Structures are given as structure tokens and as C-alpha cells.
Amino acid sequence: MKISVVGLRGFPNVQGGIETHCKNLYFRLVKMGLDITVYGRKKYRVSDPSDVKMVWLPCIANQHFETISYMFFAFFHILFNKPDIVHIHGIGPAFFAPLFRLIGCKVVLTHHGADYKRCKWGFFAKKILRVGERIGIKFSNNIIVLNKSNPISENKKSAIIPNGVELSSQKNNGQGKFIFAMGRFVKEKGFSDLLDAICLNPDGPDSRIHRIIIAGKADHCSKYSRDFVEKAKRLGVELPGFVHGEAKEKLLLECGLFVIPSHHEGLPFTLLEAMSYGCRILASDIPEHREVGLPEECYFPCGDVKALANCLNPDSPDSRIFPIADYDSLLREKYDWDKIAMRTAEVYKSL
């Protein structure tokens, strides 16, 4: 069975939910004997992964035309290589689903989330993404969604297969002296809410917390990302950039509190990773975070800067005592990558 994978930028060292998902999934599927070819975008090429075959394609280096240009080249490469299945990741690339069907390929679409809710897109781009979603749903043979919160999960062609996480043998002791957050510097991640909450607590967010670290960077330079970085530096927030490997592990093991204030998510890897390390966690109460199943005291109202500031302020009547929890049983049951790979392989075999 030959499977071509499109829609991501590349891996192994590219930040982003889709890229992390694909990196963990396709290494396992190759070991299970599937013939996988992943189509990446040449501008993100750092190194080629072992085991998984990569095809690197050109694209227009522009936020609005990058995906469509990359998919154009991917389609013609697939046209002459004729895989059995094309697996599309994301609703933007799903525009090409009918073309892949036309050339005789079966199509699987992973709906990673409603991208048209992301703040970076303007009115026209959001309309295009909605159309891509409808086309992808109509012309895909099977659809994978990450959680029950996605309304597409009710479609008869849908299977709910979440993101996964590798369990850590080392655990955070909850005694760290800094707040940690990580993700792309885009508006929907809610990091600006965290900065505004810091401003409401001029004496610091917590007498026990002396530093704030936000790891990540922007995919595309924008006014928002420039303003965010400038404000964060002005407030003394540390911005180490995109971290992975030992650097990320050290931050997760040593932080006093992990904060994820997102306004919109699919199923965030960062939250699952913080759970795997046993971090104290404070998360916005969006449905995607709720579905993971943290203790109630770990949630605050999404977008409510004052509530967030109060949660972080020990002198506030709304101050929280964030529990140290062992989430290993939950993660092993629902978010184990080996189980996720087997369920994905079953979707392929059903076609």
C-alpha cells in the first residue's frame, strides 16, 4: 500500500501541530510496513528524517500563496507516481481532494481544526478555508478528527483519532521559579493575554515566581508578532525561540507553572507534553482543553485577562492552588502514539 502525505511544511525540526503529529505518526507507520512518502516544502528543509521518504517541493514564500503553490507541485508529482492513498492534513490543502480522486487515488483528510477561526487570516482567506473544508469533507473517502469538540466528528465518514504524546519518565516537582508557555507567536495562542495579566500584577505574578519564559516564534513576520516580541522584552519576559529536545525537556521539568491561554486549538501537543511531565497547569477553558480532562481548578475563562491575572496573584481571592497530578494513566489510555498509529493504519486498510 503506497501512501502520499501532503499538507505539512516538513519535519523533523519544524514547529507546528501538524508537523509534530506527522513526525510521530509516520515513523511508526513505516515500521508497521506501510510505504509512506511525505511531501514537504523546500524552504523548511533542515535535515531529512531517517526511514520516512521525503519529497521537497518549491512554494511561494508568502502566507497566502505558500500552501496553494506547494499543493500544485505536489499534485503533479503524485499524478505521475500514483499512490493508493493520498492523506491530506488540514482544510486548506483539502481543496485538492477532488483532483486526487479524479486521478484514481483514495483520499483521507485529517481535519486538525477550523483554521478559519485563526486570527491571522482576513475575511477572504477565511471564506476560502471554509470552502476548502466543505470540499474536503465531500470528496474524502474518510475523515480523521482530533476530538469530539470538532463538529465534523458527527459526519458518518469521520473517525476520532487524537494527537498523542510520549510519556516522560522524569517528572516536574512543582517547585520551579518560573512560568512557562510555548507555541507560535500568533494571536489565537493568547500569549498577549498572559502579557496583559502580568501588567495587572505589577509586583509579579506570584511571590514564588521570578521569571516568565515563552518559547516559540512566528511562522511569518507580522505586525502582531513584532509588537508581541517588543512588549514581552519590555516586560522582561524571556524569549528563547523555538525549543526542542533537551532544552524543551529542561523547561518542562523545572517550571513552576505551565500556562496555555489559547483562544483556538485543535488538540495542543504542548498541553499533552506538560501533562506527561506532571507540570502544574493553567489552561483557558476552550472545549479542546476541557476535553482533555484536567482538574477544574486548572481552567480559567478564555480571554479574561483579569481572571488570568487573579489566578496568578497569590493575594487575590481568586488565586489558585494548582495541583501536581499524575496524568500517565489518562495519557496511556487516550493519547498513546502506538495505538494512534494502529488506528490510522486501520483507516487506510478500510479503503
Side-chain angles (χ1 to χ4, degrees), residues 11-13 27 44-56:
F11 63 75
N13 296 320
F27 285 131
Y44 296 101
R45 185 176 187 176
V46 177
S47 60
D48 284 4
S50 58
D51 301 327
V52 179
K53 291 182 289 187
M54 294 291 302
V55 175
W56 296 97

Side-chain angles (χ1 to χ4, degrees), residues 145-162:
V145 296
L146 304 183
N147 48 46
K148 295 177 183 177
S149 303
N150 191 324
I152 311 303
S153 64
E154 299 177 4
N155 188 290
K156 64 181 180 180
K157 295 191 289 185
S158 294
I160 300 173
I161 305 178

Side-chain angles (χ1 to χ4, degrees), residues 45-325:
R45 185 176 187 176
V46 177
S47 60
D48 284 4
S50 58
D51 301 327
V52 179
K53 291 182 289 187
M54 294 291 302
V55 175
W56 296 97
L57 299 171
C59 61
I60 298 173
N62 174 281
Q63 176 175 298
H64 294 91
F65 297 104
E66 181 179 302
T67 297
I68 192 73
S69 59
Y70 148 82
M71 286 298 298
F72 177 83
F73 288 110
F75 171 74
F76 280 101
H77 194 279
I78 288 169
L79 175 64
F80 292 103
N81 286 273
K82 290 291 177 66
D84 301 295
I85 296 171
V86 176
H87 192 157
I88 302 173
H89 287 271
I91 60 175
F95 257 107
F96 283 76
L99 294 179
F100 291 128
R101 292 291 300 276
L102 188 64
I103 63 174
C105 301
K106 298 292 179 70
V107 174
V108 175
L109 168 66
T110 294
H111 191 298
H112 287 266
D115 287 343
Y116 44 78
K117 293 183 179 179
R118 299 188 187 279
C119 302
K120 68 177 182 178
W121 300 118
F123 175 82
F124 182 72
K126 289 179 179 181
K127 289 291 184 183
I128 293 293
L129 288 168
R130 284 185 180 273
V131 173
E133 179 184 64
R134 289 198 292 270
I135 290 174
I137 292 169
K138 181 176 181 178
F139 288 96
S140 295
N141 298 95
N142 284 94
I143 304 165
I144 295 172
V145 296
L146 304 183
N147 48 46
K148 295 177 183 177
S149 303
N150 191 324
I152 311 303
S153 64
E154 299 177 4
N155 188 290
K156 64 181 180 180
K157 295 191 289 185
S158 294
I160 300 173
I161 305 178
N163 287 327
V165 69
E166 304 237 6
L167 293 180
S168 171
S169 59
Q170 301 183 74
K171 299 299 178 183
N172 185 306
N173 63 15
Q175 303 301 310
K177 298 296 184 181
F178 63 90
I179 289 174
F180 180 46
M182 59 178 170
R184 289 173 293 122
F185 293 167
V186 290
K187 193 173 182 180
E188 65 266 15
K189 293 297 181 184
F191 293 144
S192 293
D193 294 345
L194 181 56
L195 298 187
D196 292 340
I198 295 167
C199 293
L200 292 180
N201 290 326
D203 296 327
D206 191 317
S207 57
R208 299 164 297 172
I209 301 290
H210 302 297
R211 300 162 59 202
I212 298 168
I213 300 174
I214 303 177
K217 59 182 181 180
D219 289 336
H220 300 275
C221 186
S222 65
K223 184 179 186 304
Y224 172 82
S225 64
R226 291 192 298 270
D227 291 347
F228 170 79
V229 169
E230 181 182 328
K231 183 174 182 177
K233 290 180 177 178
R234 193 165 63 245
L235 292 171
V237 174
E238 297 177 42
L239 303 174
F242 176 50
V243 294
H244 55 87
E246 292 182 4
K248 180 168 67 173
E249 181 177 71
K250 180 178 175 64
L251 291 166
L252 286 166
L253 285 172
E254 297 180 0
C255 67
L257 178 66
F258 181 86
V259 180
I260 179 166
S262 300
H263 294 201
H264 169 74
E265 289 285 356
L267 177 57
F269 286 102
T270 54
L271 177 56
L272 297 179
E273 285 179 318
M275 293 169 68
S276 76
Y277 283 89
C279 298
R280 298 181 190 270
I281 296 171
L282 178 61
S284 58
D285 63 350
I286 59 175
E288 293 80 5
H289 291 168
R290 284 279 188 186
E291 194 170 317
V292 171
L294 299 172
E296 184 60 32
E297 57 268 33
C298 293
Y299 294 107
F300 73 94
C302 178
D304 190 333
V305 173
K306 186 175 181 181
L308 176 56
N310 288 339
C311 289
L312 298 174
N313 186 351
D315 298 322
S316 166
D318 295 325
S319 178
R320 306 282 181 86
I321 298 176
F322 304 103
I324 298 176

